[in-house]
Amino acid sequence: MADIFGTATAVVFLVTIIYYCWRQNRKTYRLPPGPKQNLIFGNLMELIHSTFIQGEPAFVKFSQWAFQTGPICYLRFFRQRVVVISDARVAQRLCVHQADKFTERPPGLFLARVLKNKGIVFNDGPSWKEHRTFLTHEFRKYGFGKQSMEQRIQYVVDEYLHQIGKTNGENHDPHPNIATAVYNIIWTVISGDKFKWGDPFLQKVIKNLETNLQAVELTGPHNYVIILTLWHLVVHNFVRLWLIVTTRLVYFKQLIAKFRKYREETSSSEVEESMMYDYLVKMQEFKSSRTSTHFSETQLLWLVSDLFIAGGETTITTIRWILLCLAKYPQGQERVRQEIINAFGRDSTPTYAQRTQLPYTEAFINEVLRLGGVAPGMWRNTSQDATYENYDIPKDTWVLLHFWAMSNNKDQWDEVQEFQPERFLNEEGMFCKNENLLAFSTGRRECPGQGLAQMELFLFTVGILQKFKVALPAGEDVDIRSGHFGVTYTPPLHQLEFIPV
């Protein structure tokens, strides 16, 4: 009996010491405010209940917590500290002014585990830095402000306009044509080559990419508990997901091999410069000089995959939102059209550099970015202890930059539920950026293809409205506040009519 009593006493003493140390550790940090937490699970059980029982998207629950608490909200999911940022200015102060501490991806995030040391989006460390530098240089070389790149994009836009002209004003789902055009632009940016419209191989790639995206979710509870991660894999069929990814890599490997064969069979003076051409040249230079590098065949494969997924889905979704909003708000559509026609007519295509002559058009596109967003949120991980005003953000805290919450925060936007492009115009009627909008992220993880994406949105919008009136089918309406959260915030299912003007 004495032994049992002694053992019990030792256990209680040990638990007390552990609990005391845990409490003391908590007291060393001045953590941001947050909702009430369960002693053991923190806020995890509430998130699980909200997501699995009530069917509420995780992004919505995160935004509710943030709006209740303030621009910086502290949560805990079992042992994992989480901070949600719902104010763009706070995000910039952290990710720009303390960039060294807010550049990594959370190592425990589901996709970060799968894509560790691969590609660019969820990669970290020296490999990420080397490829980020390469991409930044390439986008400056071929992207924003480059006439040759703009001509490539315009060629695909013209093909797209020709295709929707074939619908003869009949209602249809605009998604497939937009996806075909955007993914073709991405391949043009990567390789300098392009697919013929309706190319069967491109259609297989598109089907694979969109099937993959349906099963990916970045903020669900499965990211915080291993058993839920396993459950997520079972629900979405791990074997099926593995086959989707494997098939996609086979497709991209074929594209790279085709490009390499073309390059070998063509004199260097005839090969059009491109991102992939530069990567292969750089890889060969490193190999010849025996310089240490993360450039490799495998990394090129994953880089191409990331460019298609990250650069494609975000742009496709935004163009879908633009078209839906044009149809939903015909008066705004007519104002954009008249601005374009008054400045450039119906046949002269303005360049992206001339966008300053179309302030309301720019304002309309930016209001769509606020409403629909490019991505509802993205994760960072603190590599060191950080601070914000009187608060501490400990090392290895997962930080959610909640872009959707930033754009829907009533404390930052007047009449936040209303679609009002005028909010981006100053008193003189000129376009004016709003610092509360972070459509392309911020800091060192800011989208390197931002300039290219903005060029695409502008050229598509102008090209469509010069030729067509966009409308919902007669008698139909769509609630634009009922989008679907995932990798992107996609519009509700709808059909549109493109009526020649």
Side-chain angles (χ1 to χ4, degrees), residues 20 26 57 108 124 147 157 182 191 195 200 209 303 307 319 324 362 384 402 424 434 442 450:
Y20 177 80
R26 281 172 55 86
D124 268 316
Q147 187 175 4
V157 171
V182 171
S191 70
F195 294 99
L209 289 167
L303 185 63
L307 289 171
I319 294 174
L324 178 57
E362 273 207 275
Q384 308 170 44
H402 202 324
F424 289 95
N434 190 310
T442 187
Q450 175 179 342

Side-chain angles (χ1 to χ4, degrees), residues 9 47-48 68 95 97 109 124 130 175 181 227 238 240 344 458 497:
T9 303
L47 181 64
I48 291 174
Q68 291 168 5
C95 297
H97 300 158
L109 193 67
D124 268 316
E130 192 171 11
H175 189 175
I227 190 67
F238 171 76
R240 174 175 166 270
F344 300 100
F458 177 80
E497 299 172 349

Side-chain angles (χ1 to χ4, degrees), residues 346-364:
R346 295 187 183 276
D347 299 314
S348 175
T349 303
T351 65
Y352 184 60
Q354 295 174 300
R355 67 191 182 282
T356 54
Q357 299 179 46
L358 303 174
Y360 187 78
T361 302
E362 273 207 275
F364 193 99

Side-chain angles (χ1 to χ4, degrees), residues 424-443:
F424 289 95
L425 300 175
N426 61 19
E427 293 180 357
E428 289 74 39
M430 299 307 295
F431 173 72
C432 185
K433 289 184 178 180
N434 190 310
E435 63 179 1
N436 293 313
L437 179 64
L438 282 186
F440 298 92
S441 193
T442 187

Side-chain angles (χ1 to χ4, degrees), residues 16-37:
T16 303
I17 292 297
I18 292 174
Y19 179 76
Y20 177 80
C21 291
W22 177 70
R23 293 292 298 179
Q24 286 299 105
N25 184 55
R26 281 172 55 86
K27 291 178 181 178
T28 60
Y29 291 109
R30 301 162 298 171
L31 298 171
K36 185 178 179 181
Q37 298 179 1

Side-chain angles (χ1 to χ4, degrees), residues 379-433:
W379 288 101
R380 305 288 176 90
N381 182 68
T382 51
S383 56
Q384 308 170 44
D385 285 353
T387 59
Y388 172 74
E389 294 186 344
N390 296 323
Y391 303 125
D392 296 318
I393 306 176
K395 179 183 177 182
D396 293 324
T397 298
W398 293 12
V399 179
L400 174 61
L401 303 181
H402 202 324
F403 304 129
W404 186 86
M406 295 177 195
S407 298
N408 287 272
N409 190 334
K410 64 182 181 180
D411 293 333
Q412 304 298 332
W413 303 89
D414 294 331
E415 298 182 84
V416 68
Q417 296 293 321
E418 301 298 319
F419 185 81
Q420 296 181 353
E422 293 78 9
R423 69 175 84 245
F424 289 95
L425 300 175
N426 61 19
E427 293 180 357
E428 289 74 39
M430 299 307 295
F431 173 72
C432 185
K433 289 184 178 180

